[in-house]
Amino acid sequence: MNNHIVVTKFGGTSVADATQFSKIKEIVRENPERRFIVVSAPGKRFPGDRKVTDLLLACYKKAEAREDFSADLDKVRARFQEILDGLQIDFPLEEELKSLEKSLAEAPEKDYTASRGEYLTAKIMAKYLGFTFVDPAWCICFDQDGQLDMAMTSRTVRASLLPLKRAVIAGFYGADMTGRIHTFERGGSDITGSLAACATEADLYENWTDVCGLYAADPRIVDHPETVSHMSYRELRTLSYMGASVLHSDAVLSASEMEIPINIRNTNKPEDPGTVIMRHLPSGVEKNPVTGVSGRKGMSVIQIEKVMVSDGSGFSALMLDILKTRALPFEYCLTGIDSITLVIRNDLLEPCKEDLLEEIRTTLNPNFIGLRDKLSLIAVTGEKATEVSDANVKVLERLTEEDIEIVTINQGAGKLNLLIGVPEDRYEDAIRAIYDCRQTLAKKSH
Ligand code: ASP
């Protein structure tokens, strides 16, 4: 008997209407290993549409302000009714919505309200597929401060799912010991999927969405960028952190700890193999040395000069202590012979900028301190970029040819990323130039 388990998560656009539900049925039917299905709440059907979770949060906001929330609740009702009509399913929608309406009218709770999109979607999906419905309130365990209890969740999800032949579990939420509902961050159904995959020791975690995988660059900047067929967890985490958003980064973390491969797929193009994310690439996979390029605007650089920073007198440690006391995170810190460079997000730096500079001056007595804002940080990511080729050199050459100022460069010994600081007004040019350079590297390596 084949005991393979595939946990299959469908995102908001994949459950947006009845047509999408029917595509899911086909996908699930096609592979019996897809035993555990995780769903988001219906997302946007067209640009300008509203996600069900947003409508629910709008209900909550009004209810909390003691305003009339019925118009938004009617929109939620209409979304689900449209799905039920399209699928011709008998489902007690009114009864289910009554409990929500009652809670909104009497004692509105934000997380409970937000979670009802996933709850209803999963119940309807379970009925439509003929699978068992699993409410994560029974098995995704939060403590009373709203933190996930990982150990307990692992045990209870395993105990709830494994005895079942097939099940649909709602994404995005769980409950504490008192039964109170807690949600993850927005986009958190990915986390539920990953928890289910880890708890059941699945062979694969599929994440079905509306794109054919991870792009090698931001499609809002680069025209029709390539999708990457394979990448490592480390590469994905960097690309996601730096702005490529397909999968919640916490979801990647738990799957990578258990070494469960993740496959990003497109519900609207099920024939496309999508992107596979795993620890090591399978042998024989031809891969561009640069996996992808991503970045963030809104960065500042602080440059501190002091003769012999690196002489062991603890100058750098003092600098990091100042940041730690202020709980101010930084993107990276580079120390040189006579200098320290810190890259910090503007939005975090701005509120404490003057105080911080003053503290550095008085505590460290530097020879020079400078600050430059309006920068972007770009990550050129690729496990093979430094090992196999001169890819990073080519990238830097290309930026120079385009006359794009390179304000900082950092390539740690981990050799995963080349981080480049460029002026914010050249960010898009830089991304395009690096992507272009990546494409020439692909041609060379074939
Ligand atoms: N429905 C939630 C959201 O819109 C969670 C999710 O889709 O993953 O953020």
Side-chain angles (χ1 to χ4, degrees), residues 128-195:
Y128 179 54
L129 297 177
F131 287 16
T132 309
F133 165 68
V134 172
D135 190 338
W138 312 328
C139 58
I140 303 264
C141 311
F142 283 80
D143 64 23
Q144 293 196 11
D145 301 327
Q147 298 302 314
L148 180 73
D149 181 336
M150 193 65 179
M152 177 119 91
T153 296
S154 224
R155 286 196 300 273
T156 45
V157 169
R158 191 176 169 78
S160 307
L161 291 183
L162 279 186
L164 301 172
K165 217 167 148 202
R166 300 178 192 291
V168 179
I169 175 168
F172 190 41
Y173 71 94
D176 64 28
M177 297 283 269
T178 67
R180 189 188 172 130
I181 298 289
H182 296 271
T183 56
F184 293 116
E185 285 173 17
R186 295 299 302 266
S189 299
D190 286 346
I191 304 174
T192 313
S194 170
L195 290 171

Side-chain angles (χ1 to χ4, degrees), residues 170-385:
F172 190 41
Y173 71 94
D176 64 28
M177 297 283 269
T178 67
R180 189 188 172 130
I181 298 289
H182 296 271
T183 56
F184 293 116
E185 285 173 17
R186 295 299 302 266
S189 299
D190 286 346
I191 304 174
T192 313
S194 170
L195 290 171
C198 293
T200 56
E201 295 177 39
D203 298 275
L204 181 65
Y205 170 30
E206 288 181 334
N207 198 292
W208 291 77
T209 172
D210 54 1
V211 288
C212 291
L214 262 121
Y215 292 119
D218 185 341
R220 289 166 303 185
I221 302 175
V222 171
D223 255 359
H224 304 296
E226 214 172 85
T227 50
V228 179
S229 69
H230 291 81
M231 69 171 68
S232 68
Y233 299 117
R234 293 201 317 157
E235 290 174 332
L236 175 64
R237 276 188 65 76
T238 309
L239 290 166
S240 311
Y241 177 75
M242 294 296 283
S245 64
V246 167
L247 199 62
H248 196 289
S249 54
D250 289 354
V252 184
L253 197 62
S254 31
S256 72
E257 273 165 14
M258 295 277 297
E259 298 211 15
I260 297 172
I262 306 171
N263 189 190
I264 313 274
R265 302 282 295 263
N266 188 346
T267 305
N268 305 318
K269 268 195 172 181
E271 66 287 357
D272 193 293
T275 301
V276 180
I277 301 132
M278 55 209 317
R279 183 158 316 279
H280 302 292
L281 293 190
S283 54
V285 170
E286 187 85 50
K287 199 166 174 294
N288 191 309
V290 172
T291 302
V293 53
S294 56
R296 281 191 185 186
K297 286 187 173 180
M299 298 287 171
S300 289
V301 171
I302 299 179
Q303 166 82 6
I304 304 151
E305 288 187 13
K306 169 102 177 169
V307 175
M308 296 309 286
V309 161
S310 57
D311 68 354
S313 58
F315 186 86
S316 314
L318 278 174
M319 180 63 241
L320 294 182
D321 254 358
I322 293 176
L323 298 178
K324 189 173 162 211
T325 324
R326 292 173 173 272
L328 183 60
F330 55 89
E331 299 302 301
Y332 72 70
C333 169
L334 278 178
T335 58
I337 296 164
D338 287 336
S339 72
I340 299 184
T341 301
L342 283 165
V343 178
I344 302 180
R345 270 168 47 190
N346 282 345
D347 58 333
L348 301 175
L349 180 63
E350 206 44 50
C352 64
K353 188 168 78 186
E354 294 311 326
D355 276 5
L356 175 71
L357 294 180
E358 190 48 36
E359 191 179 349
I360 296 174
R361 268 187 213 107
T362 48
T363 318
L364 302 176
N365 193 22
N367 305 105
F368 168 82
I369 177 163
L371 181 121
R372 185 162 166 188
D373 60 5
K374 296 200 173 62
L375 293 179
S376 303
L377 195 58
I378 293 178
V380 183
T381 302
E383 302 265 9
K384 285 164 81 183

Side-chain angles (χ1 to χ4, degrees), residues 290-294 378-382 385 392 395 416-420 434:
V290 172
T291 302
V293 53
S294 56
I378 293 178
V380 183
T381 302
N392 285 343
V395 164
L416 173 67
N417 291 302
L418 174 67
L419 296 171
I420 309 170
I434 296 169

Side-chain angles (χ1 to χ4, degrees), residues 103-115:
S103 126
L104 283 167
E106 290 171 8
E109 281 197 33
K110 188 175 179 199
D111 285 9
Y112 168 75
T113 309
S115 73

